[in-house]
Amino acid sequence: MELRQLRYFLAIADSGSFSKAAERVFIAQSALSHQMAQLEDELGAPLFHRSRRGVELTEAGSRFHPHAVSILRQADEAVASARSDSAAPSGKVVFGIPHSVSNALALPLLRAVRQQLPQVQLELTEELTGNLSKQLRTGQIQLAVLFDDGQLSEFASTPLLIEQLYLIEPAQDAKKRRVSIPLKQALALPLTLPAHPHGVRPTIDHAAARAGLAPPQVEADISSISILRTTLLAGLGRTLLPLMPFQHEIGSGLLQATKVSSPPLTRTLALCASGHIPGSGASKAVERLTHALVRELCNTGQWQGASLLR
């Protein structure tokens, strides 16, 4: 198996056509077909379904795809690390951010990397936490913010901060607003939460178990922040999440946030890298910058509802 065969495979998968892929990688279509035949023979399985509409990945091709992406990315990182000046790291870094963290971190991180690491190409991807774990495990991404639920031992992880969770619901009459709500009472309300095991769902389930309380009363599973926001603004239900995903709506009075207490409901965020794939100079530079940035965002109050781990 050769790296060029992996590049050819990905070009076909991305374009959905042998002819378009051949143009993209600058070889004759016959040569491309020959290389794919060799690769399929070595793997012992067809990688593509061919039809009048083009080509699609087979089941084997779909399983092979993330590994091909990971291998090529690691090869590119190895070259970039060898060529990179330690004083001015360069290369591409794919950074995964959960939906509920994106509003707090994505834009500040993008700005900071552009200002302080101008030769680093940062690719931000917003995903469910379960998907981020899988992509980090296979090397499709280099860094990810994950929630520390005691299951991060396979990764090289360092804690970032603790976020307070709130009961987020449609705005009510000011006289009815509460300073806080006990965890037991919050869990007894009909809630809309991310589907297990994504987002805050494991954190909430574990908190209920530790407190000896019944699990949350979930009336709907919604793992998309944008859909959840629309649902709340329509007056349909309530959720348990940090402040930052709904910062604008809470500030404008469209939604109301009540701190969960007795005991407090919190989650710990950690910055994670692969436990077995060496990080590039660029990814390590972005990792250091992320920690410094998070400290600044917490100390200045820009990351609302968050505190640094002491």
Side-chain angles (χ1 to χ4, degrees):
M1 186 184 304
E2 301 178 11
L3 290 180
R4 63 173 178 170
Q5 291 177 322
L6 300 183
R7 297 189 193 280
Y8 296 163
F9 165 75
L10 293 180
I12 299 168
D14 292 343
S15 63
S17 164
F18 272 74
S19 59
K20 292 179 181 178
E23 294 177 359
R24 180 173 169 178
V25 296
F26 305 106
I27 66 170
Q29 184 174 341
S30 58
L32 180 64
S33 298
H34 177 68
Q35 289 293 330
M36 283 303 96
Q38 286 187 324
L39 181 59
E40 289 176 325
D41 183 63
E42 182 176 351
L43 296 175
L47 298 175
F48 298 102
H49 287 300
R50 295 162 176 82
S51 67
R52 293 178 180 177
R53 295 178 298 176
V55 295
E56 297 178 350
L57 290 172
T58 62
E59 185 176 343
S62 296
R63 291 195 300 268
F64 184 67
H65 188 276
H67 296 285
V69 171
S70 175
I71 292 168
L72 287 177
R73 187 160 284 160
Q74 290 177 57
D76 291 341
E77 287 178 7
V79 173
S81 294
R83 294 175 177 173
S84 177
D85 181 352
S86 59
S90 62
K92 184 175 183 178
V93 178
V94 186
F95 194 117
I97 302 179
H99 295 293
S100 60
V101 176
S102 178
N103 196 42
L105 184 60
L107 185 56
L109 180 60
L110 183 61
R111 285 174 172 164
V113 169
R114 288 187 177 180
Q115 292 172 359
Q116 301 182 42
L117 301 171
Q119 297 184 49
V120 172
Q121 180 186 357
L122 180 67
E123 178 183 330
L124 295 177
T125 178
E126 186 182 46
E127 285 276 3
L128 297 172
T129 50
N131 295 340
L132 290 176
S133 296
K134 294 176 183 177
Q135 292 173 12
L136 191 61
R137 190 176 298 119
T138 59
Q140 292 176 266
I141 60 178
Q142 286 77 51
L143 296 170
V145 173
L146 299 176
F147 308 135
D148 190 355
D149 57 358
Q151 306 296 320
L152 299 181
S153 58
E154 65 177 302
F155 303 120
S157 65
T158 51
L160 285 174
L161 54 80
I162 294 178
E163 265 190 313
Q164 171 73 46
L165 300 190
Y166 293 75
L167 175 67
I168 312 290
E169 55 191 338
Q172 300 174 355
D173 189 296
K175 295 180 181 179
K176 297 181 180 179
R177 296 198 177 190
R178 299 159 287 192
V179 175
S180 64
I181 182 173
L183 177 61
K184 181 178 181 179
Q185 188 176 339
L187 295 177
L189 295 170
L191 297 169
T192 300
L193 295 175
H196 195 82
H198 299 295
V200 298
R201 189 66 172 271
T203 298
I204 296 171
D205 289 345
H206 293 161
R210 286 196 304 270
L213 300 173
Q217 298 299 307
V218 181
E219 64 176 357
D221 293 321
I222 298 180
S223 299
S224 164
I225 289 294
S226 61
I227 297 176
L228 181 56
R229 179 183 293 108
T230 301
T231 302
L232 295 178
L233 291 175
L236 302 176
R238 52 184 62 82
T239 190
L240 296 173
L241 276 174
L243 292 175
M244 289 304 292
F246 309 100
Q247 181 185 29
H248 174 74
E249 291 79 13
I250 293 170
S252 60
L254 296 173
L255 295 177
Q256 173 181 312
T258 305
K259 182 181 293 187
V260 179
S261 61
S262 304
L265 184 59
T266 63
R267 70 178 184 185
T268 300
L269 273 59
L271 182 58
C272 300
S274 172
H276 63 278
I277 301 174
S280 65
S283 66
K284 291 178 181 178
V286 171
E287 186 174 355
R288 291 190 294 270
L289 179 58
T290 302
H291 280 282
L293 176 62
V294 167
R295 286 195 297 271
E296 178 184 351
L297 293 174
C298 287
N299 289 334
T300 60
Q302 296 178 70
W303 196 318
Q304 298 178 11
S307 58
L308 294 171
L309 287 163
R310 303 298 181 185

